[in-house]
Amino acid sequence: MAFAAFSTTTTPSTDPVARRRSPVALFLLLPGILYLMLFFLTPLVSLLLTSFQAPREFGDIGQYDYAFRWQNYVEVVTTYWPHIVRSFSYALAATFFALLISYPLAYFIGVKARSWPLLQSLMLVLVIAPFFISFLLRTLAWKQLFSDESFVVQSLKALSLLGPEAHVTGTAFSVIFGLTYNFIPFMTLPLYTTLERLDVRYLEAGNDLYASPFQVFRKVTIPLSMPGIVAGTLLTFIPAAGDYINASRDFLGGTGTQMMGNVIEANFLVLQNYPTAAALSIILMTVILVIVSIYVKRSGTEELL
Amino acid sequence: MAVGAFADRGADLKLVSIEKRFPGFTAIENLNLTIPAGSFFALLGPSGCGKTTTLRLVAGLEEPTNGRILIGGADVTNQKSFQRPVNTVFQSYALFPHMTVLENVAFGLRRRKIGDPVAKAHEALLLVELDHLAHRKPQQLSGGQQQRVALARAIVNRPALLLLDEPLGALDLKLRRQMQLELKTIQEEVGLTFLHVTHDQEEAMTMADTIAVMNKGRIEQMGEPQQLYELPKTAFVANFLGQSNLFTGPVVGTTSTAIAVDVSGEKIVVPVRRAHRASGQVTIGVRPEKLTLHTQGPIHDAGRNVMGPGRVIDVSFSGVSTQYLVAVPGVKTLVVFAQNVAFGPAVHVGAQVWLSWNIDHGFGLDDDPAEAPRYEADLDTKTIARQRRSSLITELEGA
Ligand SMILES: Nc1ncnc2c1ncn2[C@@H]1O[C@H](COP(=O)(O)OP(=O)(O)OP(=O)(O)O)[C@@H](O)[C@H]1O
Ligand SMILES: [Mg+2]
């Protein structure tokens, strides 16, 4: 038991810190721990068990038995590796473009517009405003804009920037575009909160110490806004990797742009192939966890350079 | 001047009719200043008078509304901050929180691609006695230690012109004296130009070759420390740099060598060469330590001004000297510093005394007496407290 472990490792009566920490903190943590056990750990275990299930002998479609069928994973990876690779490369691309667009935006709102609070709040509202409309609707709107008959595509074709037979929807471009567009606020807001607190006196000190504006940006601004960059990229990358709306054929995707989310959805809801869907989910989760922990660790140490 | 190498000597700084206006506020008006190469220049003034703003203009962190800035003869008004051969020790230190102390100090060297930055940074840290903390982050240092790192970070670059914005404010007296010595040594060894901003008049007096006293965005007076102290030009300087007893009155007699001023019936003589004005209403003064207390009077000596009789209303002992407050009816309360050569105070509260001073020790201000009171509000807190106290005492005595 946790309490017992506590008291054996520390000398209880002589160490006031340990004594003060134990019962109250654990008591306060209890609801959170219970919540996590119930709504996070239980489904996770159930998902893990499902991923090893085997089809029931002589059973119907969608009937499975608990087993340890690790071959599920081999099958999933050999069948769906293009989707796995695609998911992470699309998510990476979307995160990259979102960062590229959001950083200057957040910098302008958080640093340059400081002396005009009204402009600052107006621009923040503009960043958040799209949230007020369902993102399904907004994504559908982009589908309209990118459809073959749309003004945009017609004009691009008229200008010969697009071949007569080319499409925009259903391409990697439109999916990455959609992901980038939908996750920009998640990137901008954390960036804004760190940049808003950025002390310009550090930038001045950098300037004073012979650093050109670009060097100041690289050596001072970026490291000091690292918390915002890490938060923003995680908030974009993680949901983008599992996203199934943008890449769906009903929205901006096509047959050649399916991501893991789409495959999981199809296996779970249409094919009723629960073990495959579960195995894919576990793979998605594990890869994200590995990537994120490497990333957090590296960005943490890079800060020191 | 190239910024790619250490400066082999200081550069002179010239500010030509600099004006700086913030929206709705003029921080600096028509500032003209020349600081010769290799000199230690102190800028002294009360809080909010525009000292930091002046340094920021020189460093290129602020653009002047009008005027030009020349460093080493080259016009740098339009140069960006990072191109100027100038470094600043910031009032707020502004140490990079994401770098170690060592990396902070090496930052400027690395940007200028100067060889062996780490060794040079260590050297600079040794100078401020912080080499043992080189691998800490600035947040893990005390205020005084941070201040010394800021000093090392600027000095390590050996800039032609070093700007110091109250660089020793957070240090205790002993360390401060030590750093003053250190600074002075570096400045003299390399012949760098230092522009040093400080609140501490003693620091300015002991370190600087030239002091400029600034008030409300203008330079009130500039000169060698001794000259500023002996011959202040304005009431502000007379009270900001040490203390003064000031009297106002009309000039009633003039000879080729001296003027006589009528101060509430007493004739006070000031040498012409020590008076900035020689006619009309004038303000004259004398330093408290130049006054002599007499328990018997009146004294008749052609070489001395005499005032009194007055009453001692306060005696405060401060080690080497004792400060007496003497209320002279019709004039004002005078401050007297007397060296403690004998044991215990020479006179006690309530004693009747006369005051005298050598006429060569008086000085005449350039101020128009009618304008002088506008400086009252800016006096240092100690003086204000003392004035409060003496006005309270006179009030009590009147009741
Ligand atoms: N960005 C700004 N906008 C408006 N006013 C400013 C700005 N910066 C400084 N000021 C004003 O200019 C005046 C001079 O400021 P400055 O910082 O130069 O004072 P200082 O002499 O350095 O004072 P201290 O000794 O307290 O540091 C102050 O009254 C200040 O309020
Ligand atoms: Mg200041």
Side-chain angles (χ1 to χ4, degrees):
Chain A
M1 217 175 96
F3 293 95
F6 238 93
S7 50
T8 48
T9 49
T10 57
T11 38
S13 54
T14 50
D15 192 348
V17 178
R19 201 151 31 98
R20 221 182 307 133
R21 153 165 36 156
S22 44
V24 179
L26 276 174
F27 184 73
L28 288 174
L29 278 174
L30 214 59
I33 291 171
L34 282 181
Y35 180 92
L36 281 178
M37 297 265 262
L38 203 63
F39 297 110
F40 179 73
L41 218 54
T42 317
L44 188 67
V45 170
S46 147
L47 190 72
L48 202 64
L49 291 179
T50 311
S51 73
F52 287 109
Q53 278 180 340
R56 180 173 298 172
E57 262 184 293
F58 316 113
D60 260 342
I61 293 178
Q63 289 190 311
Y64 296 90
D65 284 325
Y66 285 109
F68 185 70
R69 193 167 184 278
W70 54 268
Q71 291 93 329
N72 283 349
Y73 279 87
V74 180
E75 283 164 22
V76 159
V77 172
T78 45
T79 318
Y80 295 114
W81 67 266
H83 299 85
I84 299 175
V85 171
R86 198 180 290 137
S87 274
F88 288 107
S89 26
Y90 281 9
L92 204 67
T95 308
F96 174 74
F97 289 120
L99 183 64
L100 218 61
I101 295 167
S102 295
Y103 201 97
L105 186 65
Y107 190 85
F108 183 83
I109 306 175
V111 180
K112 293 281 166 195
R114 272 182 204 177
S115 22
W116 302 284
L118 212 65
L119 178 71
Q120 216 175 6
S121 12
L122 184 76
M123 292 193 68
L124 270 182
V125 168
L126 287 180
V127 170
I128 302 167
F131 274 127
F132 293 123
I133 302 164
S134 155
F135 89 106
L136 290 180
L137 283 182
R138 282 183 280 124
T139 313
L140 270 180
W142 279 113
K143 185 187 180 167
Q144 293 292 316
L145 283 173
F146 285 152
S147 70
D148 291 345
E149 313 80 49
S150 72
F151 174 73
V152 178
V153 175
Q154 292 290 336
S155 318
L156 286 177
K157 283 184 177 165
L159 290 170
S160 301
L161 289 173
L162 219 55
E165 291 308 309
H167 305 283
V168 177
T169 46
T171 61
F173 166 80
S174 69
V175 176
I176 294 173
F177 180 94
L179 288 170
T180 308
Y181 164 78
N182 275 313
F183 288 108
I184 272 184
F186 294 93
M187 184 69 93
T188 309
L189 289 181
L191 279 176
Y192 163 77
T193 45
T194 30
L195 285 172
E196 195 243 353
R197 273 172 306 176
L198 178 74
D199 193 337
V200 290
R201 285 181 297 190
Y202 296 132
L203 313 188
E204 288 178 347
N207 267 313
D208 186 71
L209 291 164
Y210 314 102
S212 63
F214 176 72
Q215 285 174 322
V216 170
F217 180 72
R218 223 168 59 89
K219 298 282 178 189
V220 184
T221 315
I222 292 266
L224 287 180
S225 53
M226 217 49 196
I229 295 176
V230 172
T233 44
L234 289 184
L235 282 178
T236 306
F237 181 79
I238 297 173
D243 183 82
Y244 69 98
I245 297 294
N246 288 285
S248 146
R249 255 167 293 182
D250 299 331
F251 291 90
L252 298 168
T255 32
T257 64
Q258 300 293 288
M259 292 167 66
M260 283 175 89
N262 305 101
V263 181
I264 294 171
E265 184 205 14
N267 272 297
F268 201 85
L269 297 179
V270 184
L271 305 175
Q272 297 187 12
N273 189 350
Y274 305 127
T276 301
L280 265 172
S281 301
I282 295 281
I283 291 173
L284 178 66
M285 224 163 72
T286 315
V287 175
I288 287 180
L289 256 172
V290 169
I291 292 179
V292 164
S293 50
I294 292 174
Y295 174 61
V296 168
K297 204 163 175 154
R298 284 220 39 195
S299 61
T301 47
E302 259 169 6
E303 238 182 326
L304 301 173
L305 295 180
Chain B
M1 184 172 306
V3 291
F6 279 160
D8 45 6
R9 54 183 297 275
D12 61 334
L13 169 70
K14 212 168 159 172
L15 301 181
V16 186
S17 0
I18 291 287
E19 185 184 300
K20 177 66 192 173
R21 276 198 298 262
F22 292 112
F25 184 81
T26 304
I28 291 173
E29 47 179 280
N30 196 25
L31 181 69
N32 285 291
L33 194 64
T34 303
I35 300 178
S39 71
F40 199 120
F41 191 95
L43 199 55
L44 202 59
S47 187
C49 72
K51 304 182 298 288
T52 298
T53 307
T54 308
L55 291 198
R56 289 174 58 82
L57 287 166
V58 176
L61 300 173
E62 209 83 68
E63 265 180 56
T65 315
N66 272 313
R68 288 184 311 129
I69 299 166
L70 294 98
I71 297 174
D75 192 331
V76 298
T77 318
N78 298 319
Q79 263 184 18
K80 293 272 174 266
S81 170
F82 70 96
Q83 296 162 324
R84 300 190 187 187
V86 173
N87 281 112
T88 311
V89 182
F90 292 92
Q91 194 169 11
S92 57
Y93 320 147
L95 299 175
F96 303 125
H98 58 291
M99 293 180 194
T100 60
V101 165
L102 186 71
E103 278 310 310
N104 261 286
V105 177
F107 188 89
L109 300 173
R110 290 198 199 280
R111 300 287 84 72
R112 290 159 77 199
K113 306 214 162 26
I114 283 175
D116 217 353
V118 173
K120 291 196 170 79
H122 274 299
E123 241 169 72
L125 282 171
L126 275 175
L127 199 67
V128 295
E129 299 187 1
L130 281 180
D131 200 38
H132 58 295
L133 303 179
H135 297 288
R136 285 218 196 148
K137 290 287 186 68
Q139 313 74 288
Q140 298 166 320
L141 301 182
S142 75
Q145 290 170 337
Q146 290 181 26
Q147 201 162 43
R148 276 140 73 199
V149 175
L151 204 58
R153 186 176 71 169
I155 280 181
V156 76
N157 299 296
R158 299 279 147 128
L161 175 60
L162 185 68
L163 309 176
L164 305 117
D165 200 348
E166 305 193 32
L168 310 176
L171 306 183
D172 62 67
L173 198 66
K174 186 166 164 278
L175 197 54
R176 185 201 291 233
R177 292 279 171 263
Q178 192 184 329
M179 295 303 299
Q180 285 175 1
L181 217 72
E182 222 51 273
L183 273 180
K184 190 80 187 147
T185 314
I186 296 168
Q187 188 258 335
E188 277 170 355
E189 258 174 24
V190 195
L192 302 176
T193 313
F194 277 32
L195 173 47
H196 183 106
V197 160
T198 173
H199 271 130
D200 180 351
Q201 39 149 315
E202 205 179 315
E203 184 175 298
M205 301 259 234
T206 49
M207 295 173 81
D209 310 319
T210 312
I211 296 179
V213 178
M214 200 169 181
N215 186 33
K216 305 207 166 143
R218 293 204 321 240
I219 298 232
E220 291 264 336
Q221 192 177 358
M222 197 168 105
E224 286 167 28
Q226 196 182 342
Q227 183 203 350
L228 245 65
Y229 188 77
E230 291 299 335
L231 276 180
K233 225 165 97 180
T234 65
F236 177 79
V237 176
N239 279 318
F240 192 78
L241 225 57
Q243 295 180 42
S244 294
N245 294 300
L246 298 181
F247 318 99
T248 301
V251 175
V252 290
T254 315
T255 68
S256 58
T257 57
I259 58 168
V261 180
D262 177 78
V263 179
S264 313
E266 308 259 12
K267 224 178 235 163
I268 305 295
V269 179
V270 180
V272 165
R273 63 189 158 79
R274 291 178 60 87
H276 284 97
R277 287 153 69 104
S279 61
Q281 273 304 104
V282 296
T283 303
I284 55 170
V286 64
R287 294 286 182 185
E289 74 277 9
K290 304 280 167 38
L291 294 177
T292 313
L293 285 172
H294 305 271
T295 45
Q296 275 138 27
I299 316 107
H300 295 289
D301 185 342
R304 296 186 79 82
N305 290 312
V306 181
M307 206 165 259
R311 223 160 257 295
V312 175
I313 56 170
D314 187 48
V315 178
S316 52
F317 177 76
S318 69
V320 286
S321 67
T322 303
Q323 174 187 294
Y324 301 91
L325 290 185
V326 179
V328 178
V331 187
K332 56 181 282 185
T333 303
L334 276 75
V335 186
V336 181
F337 291 150
Q339 290 284 326
N340 286 329
V341 281
F343 186 74
V347 291
H348 294 277
V349 174
Q352 173 168 285
V353 291
W354 283 262
L355 299 161
S356 79
W357 66 94
N358 191 322
I359 55 171
D360 282 335
H361 288 162
F363 52 81
L365 302 182
D366 198 20
D367 279 341
D368 188 347
E371 282 178 19
R374 73 189 163 108
Y375 299 119
E376 294 286 324
D378 281 336
L379 293 177
D380 59 306
T381 45
K382 214 167 135 193
T383 317
I384 292 170
R386 199 179 309 112
Q387 281 177 348
R388 276 252 172 85
R389 188 163 165 211
S390 59
S391 69
L392 206 68
I393 288 167
T394 36
E395 212 173 273
L396 286 172
E397 278 177 348

